[in-house]
Amino acid sequence: MVQVQRRVMARPIIVVTGLKREAAVAQGRGWLPLVSAGDLERTERELTAHAPGACGFLSFGLAGGLQPGLEPGTLVVANRIVTDGGDFLPDPDWTAGLADALPRAMVAPVAGQERIINTVAGKQALYAATGAAVVDTESQIAARVGARFGVPVAVLRAVCDPAHMTLPPAATAPLKHNGTPDPLRILASLWRQPGQIPQLLRLARDSEAAFKALLGGFAGVARADVSQRLLDMA
């Protein structure tokens, strides 16, 4: 076990997330989390700096549902990463390995966007344009940097807000720099628009379902044969 930890830290698989809580799922297993906290330019710079020493990039965490009918907690493994700058293909062996390790996960396109898609209309438009099952704000960064440096990329996301849900304003308040919610900004949003409280409570329940799925999902990622081969090559 000690030898595995040393190999991983020498050339880690970098887990790209938006939230500190998502990153915490990957900590303690020898993988290196990189939290965007909504600062996508910084995230791309840091991922670029890590790329020469990385053996893989995994985009991991919550996602907004685009495909109708996907319930909170649905796991999605990307077979295509759709971005405004073109489509990218994740590593086929790693993707197949994740799908084998997570038989209940959906294998489908994932959209990577530079901004949160927070309305039902926005989700419908993006789904019509891309056919992506879910959307997040980090996968396009992992795809771009991975393609530039020849680093294998994979994506595992869990649906948080389904396609029929518009996010309440408090849910899109800027995060703290460490990737945690900013209570003052959330309270300020609730003060301005108290009517959003029921929707925010529903989103909290949905996010718990998504995090529960991520915990089980990352266990599958870690035991996938392809993940282990990447680490063994480090």
Side-chain angles (χ1 to χ4, degrees), residues 77-80 89-101 107 153-155 226:
V77 174
N79 58 10
R80 182 163 51 95
L89 293 178
D91 183 83
D93 292 335
W94 200 2
T95 298
L98 296 184
D100 288 342
V107 179
V153 174
V155 178
V226 179

Side-chain angles (χ1 to χ4, degrees), residues 83-209:
T83 80
D84 291 340
D87 292 3
F88 296 84
L89 293 178
D91 183 83
D93 292 335
W94 200 2
T95 298
L98 296 184
D100 288 342
L102 300 167
R104 294 186 178 181
M106 177 182 187
V107 179
V110 169
Q113 289 284 295
E114 304 297 323
R115 61 183 180 84
I116 296 172
I117 308 300
N118 61 342
T119 67
V120 172
K123 293 176 181 181
Q124 290 173 339
L126 187 59
Y127 180 60
T130 66
V134 296
V135 58
D136 68 76
T137 56
E138 291 82 35
S139 290
Q140 77 281 8
I141 299 173
R144 282 196 302 261
V145 179
R148 196 181 311 146
F149 287 90
V151 177
V153 174
V155 178
L156 177 63
R157 292 281 168 168
V159 175
C160 179
D161 50 299
H164 61 264
M165 173 184 277
T166 289
L167 290 173
T172 61
L175 299 168
K176 291 184 176 181
H177 294 306
N178 66 354
T180 59
D182 188 326
L184 293 179
R185 284 176 164 151
I186 292 173
L187 288 172
S189 178
L190 293 175
W191 178 263
R192 291 190 299 269
Q193 297 175 268
Q196 66 180 298
I197 291 176
Q199 194 175 13
L200 192 63
L201 292 174
R202 179 182 174 185
L203 181 63
R205 291 193 297 269
D206 290 347
S207 69
E208 288 305 313

